[in-house]
């Protein structure tokens, strides 16, 4: 495929400065000559050469059609996320990034010039200028540096919680029954002790009768759920559930200068708890889906959400869980949210989800073992027909290079393009911890979420019921006749002033029973 073999080429409209490119390269480049706003990923690689006049881009309006960033460890996936996030921010699009290793915080600081960065910029004809992005930093449950992100057990819902607690399908269904009961009775589940109190009550003599009409709860299943809760808390997980609950609309903010805010969820403190953070990321998406209005296709996304270590979300997932993920990804596009899954190979993502990911950035793959070879062949099959030998290209490209195909402005796949990527303009590495602390404490959101709150909820109400029952049992019968029959526990709870007050307040907000979405998640109006 040398230049001498290529016939004289006609330069397609919109591919400026591309005369002299080989015919095959021109055909690829013409597929990326978009008329509207687009992000610059890099330039075309062809026949071992970097062709700086053949720009590889992605149209801004198609970023809500979702995407995949894949590749072996150390091939540059994180820098690709940083590059895309910077350009989205400039276009006024908010971005969410999960920082697994702790090295994405540098997006809030200007990059540092060095020979390597300048050489890359010169290669791809990039006007490289050190630039910081407006950023907010979050941490799950306040573990680590960042504004604490918490969810109430009520809003998290039974399906996601079952994933975190590693329950089987039967136990998941029983947990759903428990949530249904708590919703109906107005017993708010803010934290884990609330859930434990309700499970314990429903397995007591008084509580068993409450569930008979809707299926009941076996002592064995209740025991498994309680043991799972205890183990979960013993690992220090309690801080992730409670109040104040994080309002995911915070992720849609823009800076005063119009740039999109980059929300960075710092996860180094919980990277050894993969099911927890991957499920929390899914809760954020489900919560956004629950709240955002339908907008259809718009000029630019409301938010682009990068879902790092995506394989952790799907490992061991139940059928119901996978169906909910698929439906959420399919439908959230029409609400203006784009989702990019980040993982090592496309086979980490279920086929039904992969089919919805229109934009692909595939970094290098390794083929050292028979399993690696199978993964490589499976990856190649997921790409459109290509002028490249993709097996050779995917094992031969270097760090900071990738194979790209995206959706055009008309929604059709672009030609597959081996690409040398541009260099991020923000700091490629973590910021100083002291600077990170200052940024967190200076945020207007810090005062809203920093301090945990423990309001009265199911645990306190059921404890008050027990105290009232004990007191009633000691009280002497009046009038010398037969003592008045003691009301049942549920009658005591429902008849209490606390409960009536709660029911009235809930009636004005969400009705008698909470409406739950695809994952069984729920949102209390603030």
């Amino acid at each position: 495929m040398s230049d001498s073999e290529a016939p004289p080429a006609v330069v397609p409209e919109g591919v400026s400065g591309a005369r002299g490119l080989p015919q095959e390269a021109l055909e690829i480049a013409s597929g990326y000559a978009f008329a509207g706003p687009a992000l610059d990923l890099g330039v075309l690689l062809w026949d071992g050469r970097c062709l700086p006049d053949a720009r590889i881009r992605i149209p801004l309006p198609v970023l809500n059609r979702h995407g995949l960033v894949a590749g072996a460890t150390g091939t540059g996936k994180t820098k690709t996320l940083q590059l895309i996030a910077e350009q989205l921010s400039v276009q006024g699009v908010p971005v969410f990034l999960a920082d697994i290793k702790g090295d994405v915080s540098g997006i809030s600081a200007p990059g540092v010039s060095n020979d390597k960065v300048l050489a890359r910029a010169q290669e791809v004809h990039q006007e490289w200028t050190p630039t910081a992005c407006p950023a907010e930093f979050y941490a799950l449950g306040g573990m680590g540096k960042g504004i604490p992100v918490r969810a109430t057990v009520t809003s998290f819902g039974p399906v996601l919680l079952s994933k975190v607690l590693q329950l089987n399908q039967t136990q998941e269904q029983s947990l759903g029954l428990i949530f249904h009961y708590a919703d109906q009775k107005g017993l708010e589940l803010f934290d884990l002790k609330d859930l434990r109190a309700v499970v314990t009550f429903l397995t007591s003599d008084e509580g068993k009768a409450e569930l008979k009409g809707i299926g009941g709860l076996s002592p064995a299943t209740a025991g498994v759920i309680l043991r799972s809760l205890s183990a979960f808390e013993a690992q220090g997980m309690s801080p992730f559930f409670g109040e104040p609950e994080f309002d995911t609309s915070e992720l849609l903010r823009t800076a005063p200068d119009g740039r999109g805010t980059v929300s960075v969820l710092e996860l180094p403190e919980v990277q050894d708890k993969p099911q927890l953070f991957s499920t929390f990321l899914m809760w954020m998406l489900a919560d956004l889906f629950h709240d955002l209005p339908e907008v259809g296709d718009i000029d630019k996304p409301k938010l682009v959400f990068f879902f790092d270590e995506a394989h952790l979300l799907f490992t061991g997932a139940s059928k119901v869980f996978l169906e909910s993920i698929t439906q959420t990804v399919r439908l959230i596009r029409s609400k203006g949210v784009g989702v990019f899954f980040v993982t090592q190979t496309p086979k980490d993502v279920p086929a039904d989800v992969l089919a919805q990911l229109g934009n692909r950035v595939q970094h290098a793959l390794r083929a050292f073992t028979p399993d690696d070879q199978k993964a490589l062949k499976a990856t190649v099959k997921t790409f459109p027909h290509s002028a490249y030998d993709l097996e050779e290209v995917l094992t031969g490209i270097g760090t900071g290079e990738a194979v790209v195909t995206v959706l055009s402005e008309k929604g059709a796949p672009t030609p597959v393009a081996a690409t040398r990527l541009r260099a991020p303009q923000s700091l490629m590495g973590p910021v100083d911890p002291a600077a990170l602390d200052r940024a967190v404490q200076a945020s207007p959101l810090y005062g809203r979420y920093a301090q945990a709150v423990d309001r009265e909820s199911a645990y306190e109400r059921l404890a008050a019921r027990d105290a009232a029952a004990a007191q009633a049992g000691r009280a002497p019968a009046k009038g010398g006749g037969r003592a008045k029959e003691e009301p049942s526990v549920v009658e005591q709870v429902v008849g209490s002033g606390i409960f009536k007050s709660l029911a009235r307040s809930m009636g004005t907000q969400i009705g008698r029973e909470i409406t739950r979405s695809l994952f069984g998640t729920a949102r209390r109006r603030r």
Side-chain angles (χ1 to χ4, degrees):
M1 289 188 231
S2 65
D3 288 0
S4 61
E5 297 170 346
V10 177
V11 180
E13 185 179 352
V15 186
S16 60
R19 292 190 184 279
L21 292 182
Q23 181 65 38
E24 298 95 331
L26 267 176
E27 290 173 357
I28 295 172
S30 65
Y32 293 86
F34 308 122
L39 309 185
D40 279 306
L41 297 179
V43 301
L44 185 66
L45 287 170
W46 182 260
D47 203 17
R49 294 191 296 124
C50 180
L51 307 178
D53 291 323
R55 295 160 64 194
I56 304 303
R57 310 163 74 219
I58 178 170
L60 188 62
V62 306
L63 281 157
N64 70 333
R65 302 295 183 92
H66 310 318
L68 177 74
V69 178
T73 300
T75 55
K77 296 192 298 293
T78 301
K79 300 301 177 286
T80 297
L81 306 189
Q82 196 167 340
L83 172 67
I84 296 173
E86 289 175 352
Q87 295 186 62
L88 284 168
S89 176
V90 169
Q91 297 279 0
V93 178
V95 178
F96 173 87
L97 294 171
D99 188 6
I100 306 288
K101 299 183 290 290
D103 56 359
V104 181
S105 60
I107 200 166
S108 65
V112 176
S113 175
N114 57 45
D115 292 342
K116 189 175 179 180
V117 167
L118 294 178
R120 171 59 62 97
Q122 185 175 7
E123 279 181 326
V124 300
H125 288 192
Q126 175 186 5
E127 295 181 7
W128 189 89
T129 305
T131 307
C133 294
E136 291 281 6
F137 297 97
Y138 301 98
L140 282 186
M143 287 186 67
K145 298 179 183 296
I147 296 161
V149 173
R150 305 179 188 87
T152 65
V153 172
T154 284
S155 74
F156 206 71
V159 178
L160 292 175
L161 190 60
S162 294
K163 170 76 171 173
V164 168
L165 296 177
Q166 302 182 52
L167 303 180
N168 65 27
Q169 185 175 350
T170 300
Q171 294 153 3
E172 178 182 312
Q173 291 170 347
S174 295
L175 189 60
L177 188 65
I178 293 164
F179 272 74
H180 174 72
Y181 174 81
D183 289 351
Q184 280 195 320
K185 299 302 181 183
L187 294 172
E188 291 255 25
L189 307 176
F190 290 154
D191 50 31
L192 295 179
K193 70 178 185 297
D194 291 325
L195 179 58
R196 187 189 299 105
V198 172
V199 176
T200 301
F201 165 66
L202 291 175
T203 54
S204 68
D205 291 339
E206 297 90 344
K208 286 177 184 176
E210 291 293 298
L211 286 181
K212 279 184 179 178
I214 50 175
L217 177 66
S218 76
T221 299
V224 171
I225 294 172
L226 288 171
R227 286 193 298 274
S228 297
L229 285 171
S230 296
F232 192 68
E233 289 178 295
Q235 296 171 35
M237 307 294 199
S238 293
F240 304 116
F241 294 97
E243 291 193 305
E245 182 175 68
F246 183 68
D247 185 346
T248 52
S249 66
E250 309 284 12
L251 304 179
L252 305 175
R253 296 164 61 227
T254 55
D257 62 5
R259 289 184 296 166
T261 298
V262 180
S263 298
V264 181
L265 182 64
E266 294 288 317
L267 293 171
E269 297 290 332
V270 295
Q271 61 179 308
D272 59 337
K273 303 173 178 64
Q275 285 199 318
L276 175 73
F277 70 69
S278 64
T279 311
F280 247 91
L281 295 184
M282 198 66 232
W283 169 76
M284 288 182 164
L285 264 187
D287 196 69
L288 285 164
F289 175 80
H290 193 261
D291 282 2
L292 289 175
E294 294 279 339
V295 294
D297 289 323
I298 50 180
D299 292 339
K300 62 183 181 182
K302 289 186 174 182
L303 172 72
V304 175
F305 192 104
F306 289 94
F307 207 121
D308 207 356
E309 299 292 343
H311 64 283
L312 299 172
L313 181 69
F314 304 110
T315 302
S318 68
K319 182 180 179 182
V320 172
F321 191 84
L322 290 175
E323 288 174 350
S324 298
I325 293 173
T326 303
Q327 195 168 358
T328 300
V329 173
R330 180 183 297 122
L331 298 177
I332 203 168
R333 176 185 72 80
S334 64
K335 300 196 173 192
V337 176
V339 184
F340 276 69
F341 291 96
V342 186
T343 189
Q344 294 203 4
T345 73
K347 72 184 185 70
D348 292 335
V349 180
D352 287 346
V353 176
L354 190 63
Q356 299 176 57
L357 310 183
N359 304 297
R360 298 274 301 277
V361 180
Q362 176 68 59
H363 287 267
L365 290 174
R366 309 302 179 215
F368 300 137
T369 69
D371 285 346
D372 291 342
Q373 289 282 355
K374 288 174 63 177
L376 174 61
K377 291 181 183 297
T379 297
V380 169
K381 289 179 180 178
T382 64
F383 279 91
H385 174 72
S386 170
Y388 296 93
D389 179 344
L390 285 180
E391 286 193 34
E392 180 180 339
V393 170
L394 286 173
T395 54
I397 54 177
T399 301
E401 297 174 346
V403 172
V404 174
T405 179
V406 302
L407 293 180
S408 71
E409 293 163 312
K410 297 180 180 179
T414 59
V416 175
T419 306
R420 181 157 294 162
L421 299 167
R422 293 160 69 100
Q425 297 185 136
S426 55
L427 181 64
M428 289 186 276
V431 297
D432 179 72
L436 183 56
D437 284 338
R438 288 194 296 271
V440 170
Q441 293 179 24
S443 168
L445 304 181
Y446 185 76
R448 192 179 309 169
Y449 296 108
Q451 189 63 45
V453 175
D454 188 12
R455 284 198 295 153
E456 186 177 67
S457 49
Y459 173 82
E460 288 78 12
R461 292 189 185 96
L462 292 173
R465 175 222 62 177
D466 289 340
Q471 185 176 7
R474 290 193 299 270
K478 296 182 179 179
R482 190 175 62 177
K484 182 180 178 182
E485 184 177 353
E486 183 178 328
S488 71
V489 173
V490 174
E491 288 172 337
Q492 292 176 36
V493 174
V494 175
S496 68
I498 292 173
F499 187 91
K500 289 178 180 176
S501 173
L502 174 69
R504 282 194 298 271
S505 64
M506 289 185 68
T508 61
Q509 296 174 45
I510 54 178
R512 180 180 173 83
E513 184 171 1
I514 292 172
T515 300
R516 295 191 172 274
S517 63
L518 293 175
F519 277 97
T521 55
R523 166 63 68 200
R524 298 184 331 281
R525 297 296 109 192
R526 294 172 175 82

